[in-house]
Amino acid sequence: MTDKLPVSVIGLGLMGQALAGAFLKAGHPTTVWNRTASKADRLVAEGAQPAPTVDDALTAGSLTIVCLTDYQAVHELLDASELKGTTLLNLTSGNSAQAREAARWAEQRGARYVDGAIMAIPSTIGTPEAVILLSGPHLQDLDALGTVTHLGTDPGLASLYDVAGLAMMWSVLNAWLQGTALLRTAGVDAATYAPFARQMAAGVAEWLPGYAQQIDDGSFPAEVSALETDARAMAHLIEESEASGVNAELPKLFKAMADRAIAAGHGAEQYPVLIEEFAKPQPTTTRRDERSA
Ligand code: FVH
């Protein structure tokens, strides 16, 4: 007997197995279902209840966690199921429109729907390192999974934070790769540059609260450096890359954005003024160039 919330986990891929394993370890009565039934074997050996059908899984727990490849798979699997009275937590990755549409779809069928994004890898699930973001109605009793944060009632918010996090991750990695490629032309290996790059990334991260305040205030006084100064440094990066035979697409992309902001009269302001370029669609001329490239 336990007072822990009974849960069902539908979808036992790498992530679903980690989620179900964490619930089991924390003492939640855990029911599992997967299309390929053999993926439940290890969890069942550890104490999970196997559900014979997906509909059995939906009725077994007070909370059903769904973690499939994508939203299309969620609809393929659950469109024909009775959802009335269930509470669904969908931890499948997608975009905010898919999340909001799934919330409408579930609510029309009488389910309580929470959308979530997992910003973690399977091995960290069940530890504080695993960041899990939720949006929609508030859910309790998910501490077994990691650091769970409720963002608000808009079901699209978790997916929006997820893609914003991905933008950060790939931008930092791409910037590091650009520098690594440049330094390798002078015989500096990636491992030698990595500690310096890490220090740079951490230093830049320190600027974020102040820059965020400028964006929220809509005022961009050049306290550290003007955008025109930054644009000249971007030109050095492009020149250096081209001279060394290194790909210059990435610096050219952000220099083009800075040049547009300067042409619009923002050259004497500070870097976050570029939010105005990020906040609007890509100009049609650039899109045409891309198509003809
Ligand atoms: N793994 C990770 O590190 C990332 C971290 C960030 C968030 N993601 C998202 O989590 C979702 C699941 O990812 P996964 O790593 O568990 O993925 P797979 O191991 O490939 O498992 C996919 C499961 O989905 C089942 N499935 C797919 N299509 C259907 C369908 N039409 N009907 C029923 N089930 C379906 C699949 O079943 P099977 O192939 O084993 O029978 C797996 O259970 C994902 O959104 C990530 O972006 C993980």
Side-chain angles (χ1 to χ4, degrees), residues 47-91:
Q49 284 297 317
T53 68
V54 70
D55 290 335
D56 292 320
L58 282 165
T59 51
S62 306
L63 170 68
T64 301
I65 286 94
V66 181
C67 189
L68 303 181
T69 306
D70 53 25
Y71 279 69
Q72 191 184 333
V74 173
H75 287 292
E76 275 170 19
L77 181 65
L78 297 179
D79 266 349
S81 292
E82 172 67 57
L83 300 181
K84 198 165 192 274
T86 60
T87 297
L88 293 182
L89 168 56
N90 185 11
L91 292 177

Side-chain angles (χ1 to χ4, degrees), residues 11-16 33-36 39 67-70 72-73 76-77 91-93 118-122:
L12 302 175
L14 293 172
M15 187 52 83
W33 182 89
N34 194 60
R35 180 178 62 181
T36 308
K39 288 191 189 169
C67 189
L68 303 181
T69 306
D70 53 25
Q72 191 184 333
E76 275 170 19
L77 181 65
L91 292 177
T92 302
S93 302
I118 304 174
M119 304 182 80
I121 55 171

Side-chain angles (χ1 to χ4, degrees), residues 13 19 21 50 58 62 69 83 96 114 129 131 138 156-157 187 204 230-231 237 241 246 248 267 273 275 279 285 288:
L19 298 169
L58 282 165
S62 306
T69 306
L83 300 181
S96 62
V114 182
E129 206 187 313
V131 171
H138 210 102
L157 270 179
V204 172
D230 291 331
L237 172 57
S241 299
V246 163
V273 74
I275 188 67
T285 46
R288 246 197 324 272

